[in-house]
Amino acid sequence: MGKFALRGLAQSMARELSPKGVYVAHIVIDGAIRSATSPNPAEKPDSHLDPDAIADTYLSVIAQPRSAWTHETELHPWAERF
């Protein structure tokens, strides 16, 4: 329920603030983030998100063209099974 509330809040903020030129995006990071203390396990390569790849995604959302706009982006490890 809590994550759905965050999504709703972001949508409400986007509707209210977009006429004032403020862009609101909802980005879900669904997984562990790789770090020096939390590397990818050898038996599960690509199971942790790369911090640089996360940053690249944020930059692409910020720089996206207005003719193809996204409000929500979800990031998860490639090795994750659905």
Side-chain angles (χ1 to χ4, degrees):
M1 278 312 260
K3 295 298 180 186
F4 185 76
L6 288 174
R7 183 177 191 229
L9 176 62
Q11 288 178 354
S12 295
M13 290 174 62
R15 285 191 180 95
E16 185 171 330
L17 297 173
S18 66
K20 299 175 183 174
V22 177
Y23 174 59
V24 178
H26 182 237
I27 300 178
V28 177
I29 300 175
D30 183 16
I33 299 172
R34 187 174 59 225
S35 69
T37 59
S38 180
N40 274 324
E43 66 279 0
K44 290 186 177 182
D46 296 324
S47 62
H48 285 50
L49 293 156
D50 177 16
D52 291 330
I54 294 170
D56 289 343
T57 301
Y58 271 82
L59 289 174
S60 70
V61 168
I62 291 168
Q64 64 187 322
R66 290 171 58 151
S67 65
W69 206 253
T70 184
H71 166 71
E72 186 171 72
T73 300
E74 181 178 342
L75 302 175
H76 58 89
W78 177 83
E80 180 179 308
R81 296 189 185 262
F82 289 93

Coordinates of all heavy atoms in Angstrom, one line a residue:
M1 N 0.8 -1.2 0.0 CA 0.0 0.0 0.0 C 0.9 1.3 0.0 O 0.5 2.2 -0.7 CB -0.9 0.0 1.2 CG -2.2 -0.8 1.1 SD -3.1 -0.5 -0.4 CE -4.3 0.6 0.1
G2 N 2.0 1.2 0.8 CA 2.8 2.4 0.9 C 3.4 2.8 -0.5 O 3.4 4.0 -0.8
K3 N 3.8 1.9 -1.3 CA 4.4 2.2 -2.6 C 3.4 2.8 -3.5 O 3.6 3.7 -4.3 CB 5.1 1.0 -3.2 CG 6.3 0.6 -2.4 CD 7.4 1.6 -2.3 CE 8.6 1.2 -1.5 NZ 9.5 2.2 -1.3
F4 N 2.2 2.2 -3.5 CA 1.1 2.7 -4.3 C 0.8 4.2 -3.9 O 0.5 5.0 -4.8 CB -0.2 1.8 -4.2 CG -1.3 2.3 -5.1 CD1 -1.2 2.0 -6.4 CD2 -2.4 2.9 -4.6 CE1 -2.2 2.4 -7.3 CE2 -3.4 3.3 -5.4 CZ -3.3 3.0 -6.8
A5 N 0.8 4.5 -2.6 CA 0.6 5.8 -2.2 C 1.6 6.8 -2.7 O 1.3 7.9 -3.1 CB 0.5 5.9 -0.6
L6 N 2.9 6.4 -2.7 CA 3.9 7.2 -3.3 C 3.7 7.5 -4.8 O 3.9 8.6 -5.2 CB 5.3 6.5 -3.1 CG 5.9 6.5 -1.7 CD1 7.2 5.7 -1.7 CD2 6.2 7.9 -1.2
R7 N 3.2 6.5 -5.5 CA 2.9 6.6 -6.9 C 1.8 7.7 -7.1 O 1.9 8.5 -7.9 CB 2.6 5.3 -7.5 CG 2.3 5.4 -9.0 CD 2.0 4.0 -9.5 NE 2.0 4.0 -11.0 CZ 1.0 3.5 -11.7 NH1 0.0 2.9 -11.1 NH2 1.1 3.5 -13.0
G8 N 0.8 7.5 -6.3 CA -0.4 8.5 -6.4 C 0.1 9.9 -6.0 O -0.4 10.8 -6.6
L9 N 0.9 10.0 -5.0 CA 1.4 11.3 -4.6 C 2.2 12.0 -5.7 O 2.0 13.1 -6.1 CB 2.3 11.2 -3.4 CG 2.9 12.5 -2.9 CD1 1.9 13.6 -2.5 CD2 3.9 12.2 -1.7
A10 N 3.0 11.2 -6.4 CA 3.8 11.7 -7.5 C 2.9 12.1 -8.7 O 3.1 13.2 -9.3 CB 4.8 10.7 -8.0
Q11 N 1.9 11.4 -8.9 CA 1.0 11.7 -10.0 C 0.2 13.0 -9.7 O 0.0 13.9 -10.5 CB 0.0 10.6 -10.3 CG 0.6 9.4 -11.0 CD -0.4 8.3 -11.2 OE1 -1.5 8.3 -10.7 NE2 0.1 7.3 -11.9
S12 N -0.2 13.1 -8.4 CA -0.9 14.3 -8.0 C 0.0 15.6 -8.1 O -0.4 16.6 -8.5 CB -1.5 14.2 -6.6 OG -2.4 13.2 -6.5
M13 N 1.2 15.4 -7.6 CA 2.2 16.5 -7.7 C 2.5 16.9 -9.1 O 2.5 18.1 -9.4 CB 3.5 16.1 -7.0 CG 3.3 16.0 -5.5 SD 4.8 15.3 -4.7 CE 6.0 16.6 -5.1
A14 N 2.6 15.9 -10.0 CA 2.8 16.2 -11.4 C 1.7 17.0 -12.0 O 1.9 18.0 -12.7 CB 3.0 14.9 -12.2
R15 N 0.5 16.6 -11.7 CA -0.7 17.4 -12.3 C -0.7 18.8 -11.7 O -1.1 19.7 -12.4 CB -2.0 16.6 -11.9 CG -2.2 15.4 -12.8 CD -3.6 14.8 -12.6 NE -3.7 13.7 -13.5 CZ -3.5 12.4 -13.0 NH1 -3.2 12.2 -11.8 NH2 -3.6 11.4 -13.9
E16 N -0.4 19.0 -10.5 CA -0.5 20.3 -9.9 C 0.7 21.2 -10.3 O 0.5 22.4 -10.5 CB -0.5 20.2 -8.3 CG -0.7 21.5 -7.7 CD -0.9 21.4 -6.2 OE1 -1.5 20.4 -5.8 OE2 -0.5 22.3 -5.5
L17 N 1.9 20.6 -10.4 CA 3.1 21.4 -10.6 C 3.5 21.6 -12.1 O 4.3 22.5 -12.4 CB 4.2 20.8 -9.8 CG 4.0 20.8 -8.3 CD1 5.1 20.1 -7.6 CD2 3.9 22.2 -7.8
S18 N 3.0 20.7 -12.9 CA 3.5 20.8 -14.3 C 3.1 22.1 -15.0 O 3.9 22.7 -15.8 CB 3.0 19.6 -15.2 OG 1.6 19.6 -15.3
P19 N 1.9 22.7 -14.7 CA 1.6 24.0 -15.3 C 2.6 25.1 -14.8 O 2.8 26.2 -15.5 CB 0.2 24.4 -14.8 CG -0.4 23.1 -14.4 CD 0.8 22.2 -14.0
K20 N 3.3 24.9 -13.7 CA 4.3 25.8 -13.2 C 5.7 25.5 -13.7 O 6.7 26.1 -13.3 CB 4.3 25.8 -11.7 CG 3.0 26.3 -11.1 CD 2.9 26.1 -9.6 CE 1.5 26.5 -9.2 NZ 1.3 26.3 -7.8
G21 N 5.8 24.5 -14.6 CA 7.1 24.1 -15.2 C 7.9 23.2 -14.4 O 9.1 23.0 -14.6
V22 N 7.3 22.6 -13.4 CA 8.0 21.6 -12.5 C 7.7 20.2 -13.0 O 6.5 19.8 -13.1 CB 7.6 21.8 -11.0 CG1 8.3 20.7 -10.2 CG2 7.9 23.2 -10.5
Y23 N 8.7 19.4 -13.3 CA 8.5 18.0 -13.7 C 8.7 17.1 -12.6 O 9.7 17.2 -11.8 CB 9.6 17.7 -14.8 CG 9.5 16.3 -15.3 CD1 8.4 15.7 -15.8 CD2 10.6 15.5 -15.1 CE1 8.3 14.4 -16.2 CE2 10.6 14.2 -15.5 CZ 9.5 13.6 -16.0 OH 9.4 12.3 -16.4
V24 N 7.7 16.2 -12.4 CA 7.8 15.2 -11.3 C 7.8 13.8 -11.9 O 6.9 13.5 -12.8 CB 6.5 15.4 -10.4 CG1 6.6 14.3 -9.3 CG2 6.5 16.8 -9.7
A25 N 8.7 13.0 -11.5 CA 8.8 11.7 -12.0 C 8.8 10.7 -10.8 O 9.3 11.0 -9.7 CB 10.1 11.5 -12.8
H26 N 8.3 9.5 -11.0 CA 8.3 8.5 -10.0 C 9.2 7.4 -10.5 O 8.9 6.7 -11.5 CB 6.9 8.0 -9.8 CG 6.7 6.9 -8.8 ND1 6.2 5.7 -9.0 CD2 7.1 6.9 -7.5 CE1 6.2 5.0 -7.9 NE2 6.7 5.7 -7.0
I27 N 10.3 7.2 -9.8 CA 11.3 6.1 -10.2 C 11.4 5.1 -9.1 O 11.6 5.4 -7.9 CB 12.7 6.8 -10.5 CG1 12.5 7.8 -11.6 CG2 13.7 5.7 -10.8 CD1 13.8 8.5 -11.9
V28 N 11.1 3.8 -9.5 CA 11.1 2.7 -8.6 C 12.5 2.0 -8.8 O 12.8 1.6 -9.9 CB 10.0 1.8 -8.8 CG1 10.0 0.5 -7.9 CG2 8.6 2.5 -8.7
I29 N 13.2 1.8 -7.7 CA 14.4 1.0 -7.7 C 14.2 -0.3 -7.0 O 14.1 -0.3 -5.8 CB 15.6 1.8 -7.1 CG1 15.9 3.1 -7.9 CG2 16.9 0.9 -7.1 CD1 16.9 4.0 -7.3
D30 N 13.9 -1.3 -7.8 CA 13.5 -2.6 -7.2 C 14.6 -3.6 -7.2 O 14.7 -4.4 -8.1 CB 12.3 -3.1 -8.0 CG 11.7 -4.4 -7.5 OD1 12.0 -4.7 -6.3 OD2 11.0 -5.0 -8.3
G31 N 15.5 -3.5 -6.2 CA 16.6 -4.5 -6.1 C 17.7 -3.9 -5.3 O 17.8 -2.8 -4.9
A32 N 18.7 -4.8 -5.0 CA 19.9 -4.4 -4.3 C 20.8 -3.6 -5.2 O 20.9 -3.8 -6.4 CB 20.6 -5.7 -3.8
I33 N 21.5 -2.7 -4.6 CA 22.4 -1.8 -5.4 C 23.8 -2.3 -5.0 O 24.2 -2.4 -3.9 CB 22.2 -0.3 -5.0 CG1 20.8 0.1 -5.3 CG2 23.2 0.5 -5.7 CD1 20.4 1.5 -4.9
R34 N 24.6 -2.5 -6.1 CA 26.0 -3.0 -5.9 C 26.8 -1.9 -5.3 O 26.7 -0.7 -5.6 CB 26.5 -3.3 -7.3 CG 27.9 -4.0 -7.2 CD 28.4 -4.5 -8.6 NE 28.5 -3.4 -9.5 CZ 28.1 -3.5 -10.8 NH1 27.5 -4.6 -11.2 NH2 28.2 -2.5 -11.6
S35 N 27.7 -2.4 -4.4 CA 28.6 -1.5 -3.7 C 29.8 -2.3 -3.2 O 29.9 -3.5 -3.4 CB 28.0 -0.8 -2.5 OG 27.7 -1.8 -1.4
A36 N 30.8 -1.6 -2.6 CA 32.0 -2.3 -2.1 C 31.6 -3.3 -1.1 O 32.2 -4.4 -1.0 CB 33.0 -1.3 -1.6
T37 N 30.6 -3.0 -0.3 CA 30.2 -4.0 0.8 C 29.1 -4.9 0.3 O 28.7 -5.9 1.0 CB 29.7 -3.2 2.0 OG1 28.6 -2.4 1.6 CG2 30.8 -2.3 2.6
S38 N 28.5 -4.7 -0.9 CA 27.5 -5.6 -1.4 C 27.7 -5.8 -2.9 O 27.0 -5.3 -3.8 CB 26.1 -4.9 -1.2 OG 25.1 -5.8 -1.7
P39 N 28.7 -6.6 -3.2 CA 29.0 -6.9 -4.6 C 28.1 -7.9 -5.2 O 27.3 -8.6 -4.5 CB 30.5 -7.4 -4.6 CG 30.6 -8.1 -3.3 CD 29.7 -7.2 -2.3
N40 N 28.1 -8.1 -6.5 CA 27.3 -9.2 -7.1 C 27.9 -10.5 -6.6 O 29.1 -10.7 -6.7 CB 27.5 -9.2 -8.7 CG 26.5 -8.2 -9.3 OD1 25.4 -8.1 -8.9 ND2 26.9 -7.6 -10.4
P41 N 27.1 -11.4 -6.2 CA 27.6 -12.8 -5.8 C 28.1 -13.5 -7.0 O 27.5 -13.4 -8.1 CB 26.3 -13.5 -5.2 CG 25.3 -12.4 -5.0 CD 25.6 -11.3 -5.9
A42 N 29.2 -14.2 -6.9 CA 29.7 -14.9 -8.0 C 28.7 -15.9 -8.7 O 28.7 -16.1 -9.9 CB 31.0 -15.7 -7.6
E43 N 27.9 -16.5 -7.9 CA 26.9 -17.5 -8.4 C 25.7 -16.8 -9.1 O 24.9 -17.4 -9.7 CB 26.4 -18.4 -7.4 CG 25.6 -17.8 -6.2 CD 26.4 -17.2 -5.1 OE1 27.7 -17.1 -5.2 OE2 25.8 -16.7 -4.2
K44 N 25.6 -15.4 -8.9 CA 24.4 -14.7 -9.5 C 25.0 -13.4 -10.1 O 24.7 -12.3 -9.6 CB 23.4 -14.4 -8.4 CG 22.6 -15.5 -7.9 CD 21.5 -15.1 -7.0 CE 20.7 -16.2 -6.5 NZ 19.6 -15.8 -5.7
P45 N 25.6 -13.5 -11.3 CA 26.1 -12.2 -11.9 C 24.9 -11.4 -12.3 O 23.8 -11.9 -12.6 CB 26.9 -12.7 -13.1 CG 26.4 -14.1 -13.3 CD 26.0 -14.6 -12.0
D46 N 25.1 -10.1 -12.3 CA 24.1 -9.1 -12.7 C 22.9 -9.1 -11.8 O 21.7 -8.8 -12.2 CB 23.6 -9.3 -14.2 CG 24.7 -9.0 -15.1 OD1 25.6 -8.1 -14.9 OD2 24.8 -9.7 -16.2
S47 N 23.0 -9.5 -10.5 CA 21.9 -9.6 -9.6 C 21.7 -8.3 -8.8 O 20.7 -8.2 -8.1 CB 22.0 -10.8 -8.7 OG 23.2 -10.7 -7.9
H48 N 22.7 -7.4 -8.9 CA 22.6 -6.1 -8.2 C 22.7 -5.0 -9.2 O 23.3 -5.1 -10.2 CB 23.8 -6.0 -7.2 CG 23.8 -6.8 -6.0 ND1 23.5 -8.2 -6.0 CD2 23.9 -6.5 -4.7 CE1 23.5 -8.6 -4.8 NE2 23.8 -7.6 -3.9
L49 N 22.0 -3.9 -8.9 CA 21.9 -2.8 -9.8 C 23.2 -2.0 -9.7 O 23.8 -1.8 -8.6 CB 20.8 -1.9 -9.4 CG 19.4 -2.5 -9.6 CD1 18.3 -1.8 -8.7 CD2 19.0 -2.3 -11.1
D50 N 23.7 -1.5 -10.8 CA 24.9 -0.7 -10.9 C 24.6 0.7 -10.6 O 23.7 1.3 -11.2 CB 25.5 -0.9 -12.3 CG 26.8 0.0 -12.5 OD1 27.4 0.5 -11.5 OD2 27.1 0.2 -13.6
P51 N 25.2 1.4 -9.6 CA 24.9 2.8 -9.2 C 25.1 3.7 -10.4 O 24.3 4.6 -10.6 CB 25.9 3.1 -8.1 CG 26.4 1.8 -7.6 CD 26.3 0.8 -8.7
D52 N 26.1 3.5 -11.3 CA 26.3 4.3 -12.4 C 25.1 4.2 -13.4 O 24.7 5.2 -14.1 CB 27.6 4.1 -13.1 CG 28.8 4.5 -12.3 OD1 28.7 5.5 -11.5 OD2 29.9 3.8 -12.4
A53 N 24.6 3.0 -13.6 CA 23.5 2.8 -14.5 C 22.2 3.4 -13.9 O 21.4 4.0 -14.7 CB 23.2 1.3 -14.7
I54 N 22.1 3.4 -12.6 CA 20.9 4.1 -12.0 C 21.0 5.6 -12.3 O 20.1 6.3 -12.7 CB 20.9 3.8 -10.5 CG1 20.6 2.4 -10.2 CG2 19.8 4.7 -9.8 CD1 20.7 2.0 -8.8
A55 N 22.2 6.2 -12.1 CA 22.4 7.6 -12.4 C 22.2 7.9 -13.9 O 21.5 8.9 -14.2 CB 23.9 8.0 -12.0
D56 N 22.6 7.1 -14.8 CA 22.3 7.3 -16.2 C 20.8 7.3 -16.5 O 20.4 8.1 -17.3 CB 23.0 6.2 -17.0 CG 24.5 6.3 -17.1 OD1 25.0 7.4 -16.8 OD2 25.2 5.3 -17.5
T57 N 20.1 6.4 -15.8 CA 18.6 6.4 -16.0 C 18.0 7.7 -15.5 O 17.1 8.3 -16.2 CB 18.0 5.2 -15.3 OG1 18.6 4.0 -15.8 CG2 16.5 5.2 -15.4
Y58 N 18.4 8.2 -14.4 CA 17.9 9.5 -13.9 C 18.2 10.6 -14.9 O 17.4 11.4 -15.2 CB 18.5 9.8 -12.5 CG 17.7 9.3 -11.3 CD1 17.9 8.0 -10.9 CD2 16.8 10.1 -10.6 CE1 17.2 7.5 -9.8 CE2 16.1 9.6 -9.6 CZ 16.3 8.3 -9.2 OH 15.6 7.8 -8.1
L59 N 19.4 10.6 -15.4 CA 19.8 11.7 -16.4 C 19.0 11.6 -17.6 O 18.6 12.6 -18.2 CB 21.3 11.6 -16.7 CG 22.2 12.0 -15.6 CD1 23.7 11.7 -15.9 CD2 22.0 13.5 -15.2
S60 N 18.7 10.3 -18.1 CA 17.9 10.2 -19.3 C 16.4 10.7 -19.0 O 15.8 11.2 -19.9 CB 17.9 8.8 -19.8 OG 17.2 7.9 -18.9
V61 N 15.9 10.5 -17.8 CA 14.6 10.9 -17.5 C 14.6 12.5 -17.5 O 13.6 13.1 -18.0 CB 14.1 10.4 -16.2 CG1 12.8 11.1 -15.7 CG2 13.8 8.9 -16.3
I62 N 15.6 13.1 -16.9 CA 15.7 14.5 -16.9 C 15.8 15.1 -18.3 O 15.2 16.2 -18.6 CB 16.9 14.9 -16.0 CG1 16.6 14.6 -14.5 CG2 17.2 16.4 -16.2 CD1 17.9 14.7 -13.7
A63 N 16.5 14.5 -19.2 CA 16.8 15.0 -20.5 C 15.8 14.5 -21.6 O 16.0 14.8 -22.8 CB 18.2 14.7 -20.9
Q64 N 14.8 13.8 -21.2 CA 13.9 13.3 -22.2 C 13.2 14.4 -23.0 O 12.9 15.4 -22.5 CB 12.9 12.3 -21.6 CG 11.9 13.0 -20.6 CD 11.1 12.0 -19.9 OE1 10.6 11.0 -20.5 NE2 10.8 12.2 -18.6
P65 N 12.9 14.1 -24.3 CA 12.2 15.1 -25.1 C 10.7 15.2 -24.6 O 10.1 14.3 -24.2 CB 12.3 14.6 -26.5 CG 12.5 13.1 -26.3 CD 13.3 12.9 -25.0
R66 N 10.2 16.4 -24.7 CA 8.8 16.7 -24.2 C 7.8 15.9 -25.1 O 6.7 15.7 -24.7 CB 8.5 18.2 -24.2 CG 9.3 18.8 -23.1 CD 9.2 20.3 -23.2 NE 7.8 20.8 -23.1 CZ 7.4 21.9 -22.7 NH1 8.3 22.8 -22.2 NH2 6.2 22.3 -22.7
S67 N 8.2 15.6 -26.3 CA 7.2 14.9 -27.2 C 7.1 13.4 -26.9 O 6.1 12.8 -27.3 CB 7.7 15.0 -28.7 OG 8.9 14.3 -28.8
A68 N 7.9 12.9 -26.0 CA 7.8 11.5 -25.6 C 8.2 11.5 -24.1 O 9.3 11.2 -23.7 CB 8.8 10.6 -26.4
W69 N 7.2 11.8 -23.3 CA 7.4 12.0 -21.8 C 7.0 10.8 -21.0 O 6.0 10.1 -21.3 CB 6.4 13.2 -21.5 CG 6.8 14.0 -20.3 CD1 6.2 14.0 -19.1 CD2 7.9 15.0 -20.2 NE1 6.8 14.9 -18.3 CE2 7.8 15.5 -18.9 CE3 8.8 15.4 -21.1 CZ2 8.7 16.5 -18.5 CZ3 9.7 16.4 -20.7 CH2 9.6 16.9 -19.4
T70 N 7.8 10.5 -20.0 CA 7.4 9.4 -19.1 C 7.3 10.0 -17.7 O 8.0 10.9 -17.3 CB 8.5 8.3 -19.1 OG1 8.0 7.2 -18.3 CG2 9.8 8.7 -18.6
H71 N 6.4 9.4 -17.0 CA 6.2 9.8 -15.6 C 6.8 8.8 -14.6 O 7.2 9.1 -13.5 CB 4.7 10.0 -15.3 CG 4.4 10.0 -13.8 ND1 4.7 11.1 -13.1 CD2 3.8 9.2 -13.0 CE1 4.3 10.9 -11.8 NE2 3.8 9.7 -11.7
E72 N 6.8 7.5 -15.1 CA 7.2 6.5 -14.2 C 8.3 5.6 -14.8 O 8.1 5.2 -16.0 CB 6.0 5.7 -13.7 CG 6.3 4.6 -12.7 CD 5.1 4.0 -12.1 OE1 4.4 3.2 -12.8 OE2 4.7 4.3 -11.0
T73 N 9.3 5.2 -14.1 CA 10.3 4.3 -14.6 C 10.6 3.3 -13.5 O 10.7 3.7 -12.3 CB 11.6 5.1 -14.9 OG1 11.3 6.1 -15.9 CG2 12.7 4.2 -15.4
E74 N 10.7 2.1 -13.8 CA 11.1 1.0 -12.8 C 12.4 0.4 -13.2 O 12.6 0.0 -14.4 CB 10.0 0.0 -12.8 CG 10.2 -1.1 -11.8 CD 9.1 -2.1 -11.8 OE1 8.0 -1.9 -12.2 OE2 9.3 -3.2 -11.3
L75 N 13.3 0.3 -12.3 CA 14.6 -0.4 -12.5 C 14.7 -1.6 -11.7 O 14.3 -1.6 -10.5 CB 15.7 0.6 -12.0 CG 15.8 2.0 -12.7 CD1 16.8 2.8 -12.1 CD2 16.0 1.8 -14.2
H76 N 15.1 -2.7 -12.3 CA 15.3 -3.9 -11.6 C 16.5 -4.7 -12.2 O 16.8 -4.4 -13.4 CB 14.1 -4.8 -11.5 CG 13.6 -5.2 -12.9 ND1 14.0 -6.3 -13.6 CD2 12.7 -4.6 -13.7 CE1 13.3 -6.3 -14.7 NE2 12.6 -5.3 -14.8
P77 N 17.2 -5.6 -11.5 CA 18.3 -6.3 -12.0 C 17.9 -7.1 -13.2 O 16.8 -7.7 -13.2 CB 18.8 -7.1 -10.9 CG 18.2 -6.6 -9.7 CD 16.9 -5.9 -10.1
W78 N 18.8 -7.2 -14.2 CA 18.6 -8.1 -15.4 C 18.3 -9.5 -15.0 O 17.5 -10.2 -15.6 CB 19.8 -8.0 -16.3 CG 19.7 -8.8 -17.5 CD1 19.0 -8.5 -18.6 CD2 20.2 -10.2 -17.7 NE1 19.1 -9.6 -19.5 CE2 19.8 -10.6 -18.9 CE3 20.9 -11.0 -16.9 CZ2 20.2 -11.8 -19.4 CZ3 21.3 -12.2 -17.4 CH2 20.9 -12.6 -18.7
A79 N 19.0 -10.0 -13.9 CA 18.9 -11.4 -13.5 C 17.6 -11.7 -12.8 O 17.4 -12.9 -12.5 CB 20.1 -11.8 -12.7
E80 N 16.8 -10.7 -12.5 CA 15.6 -11.0 -11.7 C 14.6 -11.8 -12.5 O 14.4 -11.5 -13.7 CB 15.0 -9.6 -11.3 CG 13.7 -9.8 -10.5 CD 13.1 -8.4 -10.1 OE1 13.9 -7.6 -9.6 OE2 12.0 -8.2 -10.4
R81 N 14.0 -12.8 -11.9 CA 13.0 -13.6 -12.5 C 11.6 -13.0 -12.1 O 11.4 -12.7 -10.9 CB 13.1 -15.0 -12.1 CG 14.4 -15.6 -12.6 CD 14.4 -17.1 -12.4 NE 15.6 -17.7 -12.7 CZ 15.9 -18.2 -13.9 NH1 15.0 -18.3 -14.8 NH2 17.1 -18.7 -14.2
F82 N 10.7 -13.0 -13.0 CA 9.3 -12.6 -12.8 C 8.4 -13.7 -12.5 O 8.5 -14.8 -13.0 CB 8.8 -11.7 -13.9 CG 9.5 -10.4 -14.0 CD1 10.6 -10.2 -14.8 CD2 9.0 -9.3 -13.3 CE1 11.2 -9.0 -14.9 CE2 9.6 -8.1 -13.4 CZ 10.7 -7.9 -14.2

